[in-house]
Amino acid sequence: MARLRKQKTRWFWLERKKRWLVIPGLLVLFILVLWLWPLGSLFQEPLSPVLFSGEGQLLGARLAQDGQWRFPRCEEVPDKYFKAVLQFEDRRFYLHPGVDPIAVARAVWQNLKAGEVKSGASTITMQLARLVEKNSRRTLWQKIKEATLALRLELRYSKKEILSLFADQAPFGRNIVGINAASWFYFGRSPEDLSWAEACFLAVLPKNPSLVAENQGLQKLKLKRDRLLWKLWQHGYLAELEYRLACSEPIPVSLKPVPRDCQHLLDTLVKDQEKKTPFYSFINYDLQQRLNLAAEAYGEKLLNRGIRNLAVVVVDNKKGGVVAYVGNVGKARSFDSAQYVDIAQSPRSTGSILKPFLYGLMLQEGLINPEMLVPDIPTRYEGFRPKNFDRQFRGAVPAKTALAWSLNVPAVRLLHQYGIAKFKNKLSRWGMATLFRPAEDYGLSLILGGAEGRLVEITSMYAEMGRRAMGLEDDSWKIRILTDEKKILSGLRELSPGAAYLTLQALTEVNRPDEEGFWRNFSSARWVAWKTGTSFGLKDAWAVGVTPNYTVGVWAGNADGEGRPEITGLTAAAPFLFEVLGLLDTGGEIAAPPGSLKTIEVCRDSGYLAGELCPQKDIWVPAESHFDRTCVYHQLVHLDPAGRYRVDSRFESVARMNHQSWFVLPPVQEYYYRTWHPEYRPLPPLRPGNSSRVDTADGSRIMNLVYPEPGTAVFIPVDLDGQAQEVVFEAVHRQKEALIHWHLDEDYLTTTRHFHKIALNPPAGEHQLVLVDGEGRRLVRKFTVMGKSGT
């Protein structure tokens, strides 16, 4: 019996030990369940799109999709707010596992003693759990759920992460969520820049966020804030003077307005599915403020001239980023939706703004040099007849002058020489994302505005050209808007530094408009290479300027496409370009990168490589240029002793002849050239009696046809009633008093003097036009007349 009693006692103690072992096991199992039970993704609510400047200033924000102001999460909780919220909410935050036993015991005692709920014992982690649950009820069961979730959160996240989550999800009154949004709306600054008084205000607000909507509530908030400041002072976080000054700070009685300094850019970024908020830009806050004011004022001036929209982009060439952006200054009627369009990102007709890129390419490839004469004469290509903006022709101009004066005819002829498809492909690689049609659809009008481009893209291309011209070490990257954008290699790295530099140099030789739109010679210390553009129909005005530090692009016009005579690059866009440049430290002058240029010896008159008869000068060309075209415009002319007539050895002894090198342009070029160049000397006439020595078979040296050109297909215009109209044929002769006899298909037509134009209506088919001057010299031109159907 005693043995049995002893055995039962042993089993009792063994069972008791097992029961004590079960308790730790259950605790371990409970912890494992808390750890392994999936929490899911916390806080998937939509965020407010926000745009920040390069200095961290808020430029613009939009409501989140659920109607809340919920800014993206802070990377770190600011130190002042961190200390304030711990002192106010949970002083033992780092000592408990999510539930504070001491606070629970105190709350139970206080509630039992009071006979009602006086204290909830909620820790920061439990408050975060309540935010996760999205439940505002304060029941015992809800407290148990919050405590359980708090333990799970503590097992999953670090203390720092929990505090950061709480700060970003806490309610701050009205529809403001999170410390980031609250600091901007209540104080107009980032959380990192809050004062002690401001940090304490935001620390006490989530406890009862509805107080901000009541006058008495504001006073209660101030008392809570000041009490928290006193505690921080007592714990040594503040000096006494800091404490007193902080208590004297007023609390905010209203919200700060949402900044709209760059609203069009923010709207564009939100539409881009590849970009996610927050948007950290290169925008310079102070410059953006000044540019907004200047654009508003200039927009009022444009409105008086019937121009309702203006857009501006400023690029910092050294940073490689957009530092100021005005997407649209809309001065239209309040109900006109065009004012909300981001013009800087909208495709618009480019006008002449693309000409410098063709010039730079042809320089680099040795097809032209800056001084080479290019024809500026009446020109037709398959029915396309380009005209200069002033409707005049200059005969021949240096290539750099044609660019500086933005002459259309030379540009079209150069594009025809270079190749439309080749140029279009270059532009696409260089950043123009709007060239989606085949090259033949654009045709030669590509260089005159037949394509569409975006202001931000065009300005960036000019900036990248400037970076190439300066030889910057990181000039191979595209211009960016956001600092965290992926770096992309610039297509303009294909353009050599020498070609880029000479292109910009050509663009410095232009007069500047004053603020009233008139012209004056702008001989200041400010170096700027600039170009304007005007679209067909006077709908789009462009102006872009490049300096060492900045590139500025301006567009002016009507967003709805309404054309007006006042919408030109020179009178609408260029004045504001120079106004913006006046706000900037442009940085002096761009110098040629070492080793990017070489000199060649050219004819002083024609710009082609100098021949034996040419006066010579040295010019700069890109180091990789292989320009090899020799001058053919200088002739050795034999004159009589008086120098009045050309002679030959049959009628004048060689010893008495005066031999001179003579600059002679082709007849059509000469006809227009000598109007602009009084110094130009036409060839002296042959001495009377020397005419028997004239080569009558080839009259092209003395006269030429302006229209039709060789190989031209002539289109006969048709009236509305179906009747064919007449086509004007035009010729020029070096001698002003010369007679020209016109023959068509061996039939005599008429004789002209001085002005050699006739109107004809030849039938469809092939024809031969023969011109004979008074001395028997002949010029023959074959052409084809297309039928009414264009066949």
Side-chain angles (χ1 to χ4, degrees):
M1 212 46 195
R3 185 177 179 182
L4 181 61
R5 192 180 303 109
K6 188 175 182 181
Q7 188 175 4
K8 286 183 177 180
T9 303
R10 186 183 301 114
W11 280 108
F12 172 79
W13 285 108
L14 287 173
E15 290 296 324
R16 189 171 181 181
K17 287 181 179 180
K18 288 181 180 179
R19 285 197 295 270
W20 280 107
L21 289 174
V22 168
I23 295 174
L26 290 175
L27 181 61
V28 171
L29 180 62
F30 178 67
I31 294 173
L32 286 174
V33 170
L34 290 179
W35 173 261
L36 297 175
W37 192 270
L39 275 173
S41 299
L42 303 181
F43 306 117
Q44 295 300 304
E45 291 82 5
L47 299 176
S48 297
V50 291
L51 175 64
F52 292 100
S53 71
E55 303 88 355
Q57 291 289 325
L58 183 65
L59 294 172
R62 290 173 56 174
L63 279 168
Q65 293 177 2
D66 60 354
Q68 302 295 308
W69 289 110
R70 188 183 294 106
F71 284 16
R73 182 179 175 183
C74 290
E75 294 297 328
E76 292 186 3
V77 179
D79 185 63
K80 290 178 181 177
Y81 179 77
F82 170 80
K83 293 174 180 176
V85 77
L86 289 186
Q87 187 66 35
F88 182 73
E89 294 280 6
D90 193 351
R91 281 178 289 176
R92 288 182 292 275
F93 177 69
Y94 281 98
L95 301 177
H96 62 68
V99 178
D100 187 351
I102 298 176
V104 171
R106 186 189 66 242
V108 170
W109 170 253
Q110 290 177 350
N111 294 339
L112 289 174
K113 185 177 179 181
E116 59 179 349
V117 177
K118 286 288 187 179
S119 176
S122 291
T123 64
I124 287 178
T125 313
M126 291 177 66
Q127 293 185 58
L128 177 62
R130 184 164 63 248
L131 294 172
V132 172
E133 290 288 326
K134 297 182 175 61
N135 196 325
S136 59
R137 292 180 299 170
R138 303 185 69 180
T139 63
L140 178 60
W141 173 243
Q142 184 61 31
K143 281 290 183 181
I144 294 173
K145 287 178 64 178
E146 290 174 8
T148 304
L149 182 55
L151 294 173
R152 294 171 63 194
L153 289 170
E154 289 277 350
L155 289 172
R156 185 63 55 87
Y157 297 100
S158 68
K159 290 287 187 179
K160 184 178 180 181
E161 289 172 326
I162 289 172
L163 188 58
S164 177
L165 285 168
F166 172 74
D168 281 307
Q169 299 301 323
F172 286 89
R174 297 181 173 90
N175 59 342
I176 300 172
V177 178
I179 180 65
N180 207 355
S183 63
W184 284 107
F185 276 99
Y186 285 106
F187 302 108
R189 57 175 61 92
S190 68
E192 294 80 9
D193 297 326
L194 293 174
S195 68
W196 277 112
E198 293 164 347
C200 288
F201 173 83
L202 295 181
V204 303
L205 183 56
K207 203 76 169 180
N208 196 346
S210 61
L211 290 177
V212 294
E214 309 167 5
N215 289 332
Q216 292 182 347
L218 293 175
Q219 293 301 317
K220 292 179 181 178
L221 285 172
K222 186 175 188 309
L223 290 174
K224 288 185 176 183
R225 183 204 69 176
D226 292 350
R227 192 178 302 119
L228 178 56
L229 284 169
W230 182 84
K231 290 181 180 180
L232 291 171
W233 172 43
Q234 292 297 308
H235 284 80
Y237 293 119
L238 284 79
E240 181 178 0
L241 179 60
E242 285 181 298
Y243 162 67
R244 296 186 181 281
L245 290 175
C247 288
S248 67
E249 289 186 29
I251 60 173
V253 296
S254 62
L255 298 180
K256 301 289 183 182
V258 180
R260 298 180 59 85
D261 298 318
C262 227
Q263 194 63 31
H264 290 96
L265 176 58
L266 176 59
D267 293 343
T268 297
L269 292 171
V270 170
K271 294 175 185 176
D272 190 338
Q273 299 298 322
E274 296 182 359
K275 295 182 172 63
K276 302 299 181 183
T277 188
F279 305 116
Y280 295 102
S281 71
F282 286 94
I283 299 294
N284 180 287
Y285 184 76
D286 290 336
L287 176 59
Q288 184 68 36
Q289 301 295 312
R290 288 183 289 149
L291 184 61
N292 285 340
L293 292 174
E296 284 289 333
Y298 189 72
E300 293 290 347
K301 293 181 181 180
L302 290 180
L303 185 61
N304 294 332
R305 297 155 59 188
I307 305 173
R308 298 187 293 275
N309 300 95
L310 174 72
V312 191
V313 173
V314 180
V315 174
D316 187 317
N317 296 335
K318 306 296 174 61
K319 292 181 179 179
V322 174
V323 292
Y325 186 106
V326 176
N328 186 358
V329 175
K331 293 297 180 179
R333 300 173 293 272
S334 59
F335 55 82
D336 191 340
S337 60
Q339 61 187 305
Y340 303 110
V341 176
D342 186 355
I343 298 291
Q345 298 279 359
S346 301
R348 307 295 302 194
S349 176
T350 54
S352 299
I353 209 70
L354 301 178
K355 289 175 182 175
F357 301 107
L358 175 63
Y359 178 86
L361 283 168
M362 297 188 75
L363 279 179
Q364 177 172 296
E365 297 180 23
L367 299 176
I368 61 172
N369 72 57
E371 301 291 339
M372 186 190 90
L373 289 180
V374 293
D376 181 21
I377 57 178
T379 301
R380 288 196 188 209
Y381 293 107
E382 299 180 357
F384 176 55
R385 188 175 183 179
K387 295 181 180 179
N388 295 322
F389 190 79
D390 60 3
R391 308 294 185 186
Q392 300 186 67
F393 301 101
R394 290 157 179 80
V397 291
K400 67 176 185 180
T401 303
L403 176 62
W405 292 355
S406 195
L407 299 178
N408 293 335
V409 174
V412 168
R413 296 177 74 100
L414 290 175
L415 178 58
H416 183 264
Q417 176 188 351
Y418 187 77
I420 302 169
K422 184 179 177 182
F423 184 54
K424 180 252 182 183
N425 292 336
K426 289 284 188 182
L427 293 175
S428 295
R429 289 202 300 272
W430 289 3
M432 286 189 67
T434 51
L435 301 178
F436 53 86
R437 291 184 285 149
E440 56 269 20
D441 284 3
Y442 296 107
L444 292 169
S445 67
L446 174 62
I447 200 67
L448 303 183
E452 293 182 328
R454 299 184 177 98
L455 176 64
V456 67
E457 293 175 350
I458 299 296
T459 307
S460 296
M461 288 168 62
Y462 271 85
E464 288 167 24
M465 179 185 286
R467 287 161 60 83
R468 293 292 290 160
M470 289 184 284
L472 298 180
E473 292 182 2
D474 61 343
D475 65 357
S476 297
W477 304 108
K478 290 182 67 66
I479 300 301
R480 296 179 295 160
I481 295 177
L482 303 179
T483 57
D484 56 355
E485 276 186 90
K486 180 181 178 181
K487 284 190 173 183
I488 300 175
L489 286 173
S490 167
L492 265 150
R493 69 186 187 279
E494 299 173 350
L495 187 66
S496 70
Y501 170 77
L502 290 175
T503 300
L504 295 183
Q505 277 297 116
L507 295 177
T508 63
E509 300 177 8
V510 188
N511 288 334
R512 276 71 164 171
D514 64 17
E515 69 260 7
E516 301 299 329
F518 300 109
W519 290 95
R520 63 186 174 90
N521 216 4
F522 192 81
S523 57
S524 75
R526 294 208 173 202
W527 184 98
V528 57
W530 65 291
K531 181 75 183 71
T532 61
T534 305
S535 69
F536 180 77
L538 303 175
K539 299 178 181 180
D540 304 273
W542 299 76
V544 183
V546 181
T547 68
N549 288 345
Y550 296 97
T551 298
V552 179
V554 177
W555 177 93
N558 293 318
D560 58 6
E562 178 190 353
R564 296 188 64 87
E566 297 85 356
I567 301 179
T568 69
L570 296 177
T571 60
F576 191 59
L577 166 66
F578 286 96
E579 184 175 334
V580 175
L581 289 172
L583 301 175
L584 305 171
D585 176 11
T586 54
E589 180 176 346
I590 292 178
S596 63
L597 302 176
K598 67 179 180 182
T599 59
I600 60 172
E601 195 174 71
V602 299
C603 172
R604 189 173 61 234
D605 296 322
S606 71
Y608 289 81
L609 294 179
E612 294 181 356
L613 300 175
C614 299
Q616 301 169 357
K617 69 175 181 179
D618 291 337
I619 65 168
W620 293 104
V621 295
E624 62 282 350
S625 170
H626 297 289
F627 184 80
D628 59 359
R629 302 174 66 180
T630 305
C631 177
V632 296
Y633 299 113
H634 277 274
Q635 302 177 12
L636 186 61
V637 177
H638 310 294
L639 304 176
D640 64 7
R644 294 177 55 193
Y645 298 104
R646 286 180 290 151
V647 296
D648 59 35
S649 58
R650 184 176 177 181
F651 298 93
E652 187 70 65
S653 67
V654 176
R656 289 173 50 83
M657 288 183 187
N658 182 2
H659 308 287
Q660 292 189 22
S661 173
W662 209 277
F663 177 56
V664 183
L665 288 171
V668 177
Q669 294 184 32
E670 180 186 278
Y671 176 77
Y672 294 99
Y673 185 85
R674 62 189 183 188
T675 302
W676 295 84
H677 297 271
E679 75 282 2
Y680 179 79
R681 300 182 302 159
L683 271 175
L686 288 170
R687 189 167 64 182
N690 262 31
S691 59
S692 61
R693 299 285 295 181
V694 173
D695 182 5
T696 59
D698 182 13
S700 61
R701 293 177 177 273
I702 196 71
M703 59 180 167
N704 210 336
L705 275 164
V706 176
Y707 184 75
E709 296 184 74
T712 299
V714 177
F715 293 84
I716 304 296
V718 179
D719 287 330
L720 294 176
D721 59 4
Q723 295 296 317
Q725 298 182 20
E726 293 182 326
V727 177
V728 175
F729 288 65
E730 182 179 2
V732 294
H733 199 288
R734 293 190 189 278
Q735 298 173 5
K736 294 182 179 180
E737 301 294 329
L739 294 174
I740 294 182
H741 308 287
W742 297 72
H743 303 78
L744 181 64
D745 300 331
E746 299 184 357
D747 293 330
Y748 171 76
L749 298 176
T750 186
T751 298
T752 57
R753 182 193 291 268
H754 301 298
F755 301 103
H756 307 289
K757 294 182 181 181
I758 63 171
L760 299 175
N761 186 4
E766 295 185 355
H767 298 275
Q768 178 173 281
L769 185 65
V770 179
L771 279 61
V772 182
D773 71 359
E775 296 185 359
R777 286 169 289 216
R778 295 165 56 87
L779 177 68
V780 180
R781 179 70 46 84
K782 293 182 179 181
F783 62 95
T784 301
V785 175
M786 309 302 290
K788 294 181 181 179
S789 62
T791 61

mmCIF file of all heavy atoms in Angstrom, residues 68-70 170-183 185-186 255:
data_model
loop_
_atom_site.group_PDB
_atom_site.id
_atom_site.type_symbol
_atom_site.label_atom_id
_atom_site.label_comp_id
_atom_site.label_asym_id
_atom_site.label_seq_id
_atom_site.Cartn_x
_atom_site.Cartn_y
_atom_site.Cartn_z
ATOM 1 N N GLN A 68 -8.424 61.930 -50.259
ATOM 2 C CA GLN A 68 -7.598 62.291 -49.113
ATOM 3 C C GLN A 68 -6.297 62.943 -49.584
ATOM 4 O O GLN A 68 -5.810 62.676 -50.684
ATOM 5 C CB GLN A 68 -7.250 61.036 -48.292
ATOM 6 C CG GLN A 68 -8.455 60.260 -47.788
ATOM 7 C CD GLN A 68 -9.276 61.036 -46.784
ATOM 8 O OE1 GLN A 68 -8.763 61.552 -45.797
ATOM 9 N NE2 GLN A 68 -10.584 61.139 -47.035
ATOM 10 N N TRP A 69 -5.773 63.784 -48.709
ATOM 11 C CA TRP A 69 -4.411 64.299 -48.935
ATOM 12 C C TRP A 69 -3.460 63.342 -48.225
ATOM 13 O O TRP A 69 -3.261 63.431 -47.017
ATOM 14 C CB TRP A 69 -4.262 65.718 -48.393
ATOM 15 C CG TRP A 69 -4.995 66.759 -49.181
ATOM 16 C CD1 TRP A 69 -6.091 67.450 -48.806
ATOM 17 C CD2 TRP A 69 -4.656 67.229 -50.483
ATOM 18 N NE1 TRP A 69 -6.488 68.315 -49.789
ATOM 19 C CE2 TRP A 69 -5.617 68.204 -50.838
ATOM 20 C CE3 TRP A 69 -3.657 66.922 -51.395
ATOM 21 C CZ2 TRP A 69 -5.595 68.870 -52.046
ATOM 22 C CZ3 TRP A 69 -3.633 67.579 -52.612
ATOM 23 C CH2 TRP A 69 -4.586 68.546 -52.921
ATOM 24 N N ARG A 70 -2.928 62.406 -48.983
ATOM 25 C CA ARG A 70 -2.049 61.384 -48.421
ATOM 26 C C ARG A 70 -0.740 61.390 -49.213
ATOM 27 O O ARG A 70 -0.645 60.809 -50.295
ATOM 28 C CB ARG A 70 -2.709 60.005 -48.485
ATOM 29 C CG ARG A 70 -1.959 58.914 -47.754
ATOM 30 C CD ARG A 70 -2.640 57.558 -47.920
ATOM 31 N NE ARG A 70 -3.948 57.511 -47.287
ATOM 32 C CZ ARG A 70 -5.106 57.540 -47.964
ATOM 33 N NH1 ARG A 70 -5.093 57.632 -49.288
ATOM 34 N NH2 ARG A 70 -6.253 57.484 -47.333
ATOM 35 N N ALA A 170 -1.222 58.393 -39.588
ATOM 36 C CA ALA A 170 -2.011 59.048 -38.552
ATOM 37 C C ALA A 170 -2.904 60.124 -39.162
ATOM 38 O O ALA A 170 -2.524 60.807 -40.119
ATOM 39 C CB ALA A 170 -1.081 59.657 -37.503
ATOM 40 N N PRO A 171 -4.130 60.292 -38.621
ATOM 41 C CA PRO A 171 -5.031 61.346 -39.115
ATOM 42 C C PRO A 171 -4.665 62.694 -38.498
ATOM 43 O O PRO A 171 -4.390 62.784 -37.295
ATOM 44 C CB PRO A 171 -6.398 60.868 -38.638
ATOM 45 C CG PRO A 171 -6.107 60.078 -37.393
ATOM 46 C CD PRO A 171 -4.769 59.443 -37.593
ATOM 47 N N PHE A 172 -4.697 63.738 -39.321
ATOM 48 C CA PHE A 172 -4.322 65.077 -38.847
ATOM 49 C C PHE A 172 -5.428 66.103 -39.098
ATOM 50 O O PHE A 172 -5.172 67.282 -39.278
ATOM 51 C CB PHE A 172 -3.030 65.529 -39.525
ATOM 52 C CG PHE A 172 -1.806 64.834 -39.009
ATOM 53 C CD1 PHE A 172 -1.378 63.649 -39.574
ATOM 54 C CD2 PHE A 172 -1.103 65.339 -37.936
ATOM 55 C CE1 PHE A 172 -0.257 62.991 -39.101
ATOM 56 C CE2 PHE A 172 0.025 64.691 -37.449
ATOM 57 C CZ PHE A 172 0.445 63.509 -38.027
ATOM 58 N N GLY A 173 -6.671 65.631 -39.100
ATOM 59 C CA GLY A 173 -7.786 66.552 -39.253
ATOM 60 C C GLY A 173 -8.180 66.747 -40.702
ATOM 61 O O GLY A 173 -7.375 66.599 -41.611
ATOM 62 N N ARG A 174 -9.472 67.057 -40.844
ATOM 63 C CA ARG A 174 -10.054 67.219 -42.184
ATOM 64 C C ARG A 174 -9.758 65.951 -43.006
ATOM 65 O O ARG A 174 -10.051 64.851 -42.566
ATOM 66 C CB ARG A 174 -9.531 68.485 -42.833
ATOM 67 C CG ARG A 174 -9.929 69.767 -42.054
ATOM 68 C CD ARG A 174 -9.412 71.016 -42.729
ATOM 69 N NE ARG A 174 -9.914 72.215 -42.092
ATOM 70 C CZ ARG A 174 -9.334 72.860 -41.100
ATOM 71 N NH1 ARG A 174 -8.189 72.375 -40.615
ATOM 72 N NH2 ARG A 174 -9.858 73.940 -40.577
ATOM 73 N N ASN A 175 -9.182 66.113 -44.216
ATOM 74 C CA ASN A 175 -8.862 64.927 -45.025
ATOM 75 C C ASN A 175 -7.358 64.797 -45.226
ATOM 76 O O ASN A 175 -6.888 64.381 -46.281
ATOM 77 C CB ASN A 175 -9.566 64.995 -46.386
ATOM 78 C CG ASN A 175 -9.168 66.240 -47.186
ATOM 79 O OD1 ASN A 175 -8.653 67.195 -46.623
ATOM 80 N ND2 ASN A 175 -9.423 66.211 -48.476
ATOM 81 N N ILE A 176 -6.607 65.136 -44.157
ATOM 82 C CA ILE A 176 -5.149 65.101 -44.213
ATOM 83 C C ILE A 176 -4.646 63.866 -43.470
ATOM 84 O O ILE A 176 -4.989 63.651 -42.312
ATOM 85 C CB ILE A 176 -4.542 66.377 -43.603
ATOM 86 C CG1 ILE A 176 -5.034 67.608 -44.367
ATOM 87 C CG2 ILE A 176 -3.025 66.307 -43.617
ATOM 88 C CD1 ILE A 176 -4.655 68.907 -43.724
ATOM 89 N N VAL A 177 -3.845 63.081 -44.150
ATOM 90 C CA VAL A 177 -3.322 61.842 -43.580
ATOM 91 C C VAL A 177 -1.800 61.872 -43.653
ATOM 92 O O VAL A 177 -1.221 62.121 -44.720
ATOM 93 C CB VAL A 177 -3.851 60.610 -44.342
ATOM 94 C CG1 VAL A 177 -3.258 59.328 -43.773
ATOM 95 C CG2 VAL A 177 -5.368 60.563 -44.285
ATOM 96 N N GLY A 178 -1.135 61.613 -42.536
ATOM 97 C CA GLY A 178 0.310 61.486 -42.518
ATOM 98 C C GLY A 178 1.046 62.773 -42.206
ATOM 99 O O GLY A 178 0.590 63.876 -42.518
ATOM 100 N N ILE A 179 2.205 62.621 -41.585
ATOM 101 C CA ILE A 179 3.011 63.763 -41.163
ATOM 102 C C ILE A 179 3.493 64.588 -42.355
ATOM 103 O O ILE A 179 3.599 65.810 -42.270
ATOM 104 C CB ILE A 179 4.218 63.269 -40.309
ATOM 105 C CG1 ILE A 179 5.091 64.434 -39.846
ATOM 106 C CG2 ILE A 179 5.048 62.261 -41.078
ATOM 107 C CD1 ILE A 179 4.416 65.377 -38.918
ATOM 108 N N ASN A 180 3.763 63.929 -43.481
ATOM 109 C CA ASN A 180 4.299 64.648 -44.632
ATOM 110 C C ASN A 180 3.285 65.647 -45.170
ATOM 111 O O ASN A 180 3.591 66.817 -45.402
ATOM 112 C CB ASN A 180 4.703 63.648 -45.726
ATOM 113 C CG ASN A 180 5.806 64.190 -46.602
ATOM 114 O OD1 ASN A 180 6.212 65.338 -46.469
ATOM 115 N ND2 ASN A 180 6.298 63.370 -47.508
ATOM 116 N N ALA A 181 2.050 65.184 -45.369
ATOM 117 C CA ALA A 181 1.005 66.100 -45.850
ATOM 118 C C ALA A 181 0.685 67.155 -44.808
ATOM 119 O O ALA A 181 0.502 68.340 -45.129
ATOM 120 C CB ALA A 181 -0.245 65.307 -46.222
ATOM 121 N N ALA A 182 0.622 66.730 -43.528
ATOM 122 C CA ALA A 182 0.245 67.668 -42.467
ATOM 123 C C ALA A 182 1.242 68.813 -42.335
ATOM 124 O O ALA A 182 0.854 69.976 -42.148
ATOM 125 C CB ALA A 182 0.139 66.908 -41.132
ATOM 126 N N SER A 183 2.532 68.515 -42.422
ATOM 127 C CA SER A 183 3.529 69.583 -42.258
ATOM 128 C C SER A 183 3.414 70.611 -43.369
ATOM 129 O O SER A 183 3.598 71.808 -43.140
ATOM 130 C CB SER A 183 4.935 68.978 -42.218
ATOM 131 O OG SER A 183 5.237 68.341 -43.445
ATOM 132 N N PHE A 185 0.555 71.261 -45.223
ATOM 133 C CA PHE A 185 -0.728 71.964 -45.179
ATOM 134 C C PHE A 185 -0.853 72.895 -43.980
ATOM 135 O O PHE A 185 -1.487 73.939 -44.074
ATOM 136 C CB PHE A 185 -1.874 70.947 -45.177
ATOM 137 C CG PHE A 185 -2.257 70.475 -46.549
ATOM 138 C CD1 PHE A 185 -1.795 69.262 -47.026
ATOM 139 C CD2 PHE A 185 -3.041 71.256 -47.375
ATOM 140 C CE1 PHE A 185 -2.133 68.827 -48.290
ATOM 141 C CE2 PHE A 185 -3.380 70.840 -48.646
ATOM 142 C CZ PHE A 185 -2.921 69.618 -49.111
ATOM 143 N N TYR A 186 -0.256 72.531 -42.865
ATOM 144 C CA TYR A 186 -0.374 73.384 -41.676
ATOM 145 C C TYR A 186 0.733 74.440 -41.596
ATOM 146 O O TYR A 186 0.503 75.538 -41.086
ATOM 147 C CB TYR A 186 -0.366 72.541 -40.402
ATOM 148 C CG TYR A 186 -1.666 71.809 -40.160
ATOM 149 C CD1 TYR A 186 -1.767 70.441 -40.360
ATOM 150 C CD2 TYR A 186 -2.802 72.501 -39.747
ATOM 151 C CE1 TYR A 186 -2.965 69.756 -40.142
ATOM 152 C CE2 TYR A 186 -4.009 71.833 -39.532
ATOM 153 C CZ TYR A 186 -4.088 70.464 -39.744
ATOM 154 O OH TYR A 186 -5.272 69.804 -39.542
ATOM 155 N N LEU A 255 -5.496 76.099 -43.130
ATOM 156 C CA LEU A 255 -4.549 75.333 -43.928
ATOM 157 C C LEU A 255 -3.871 76.220 -44.964
ATOM 158 O O LEU A 255 -4.461 77.187 -45.461
ATOM 159 C CB LEU A 255 -5.262 74.185 -44.638
ATOM 160 C CG LEU A 255 -5.936 73.130 -43.761
ATOM 161 C CD1 LEU A 255 -6.598 72.071 -44.633
ATOM 162 C CD2 LEU A 255 -4.933 72.496 -42.820
#
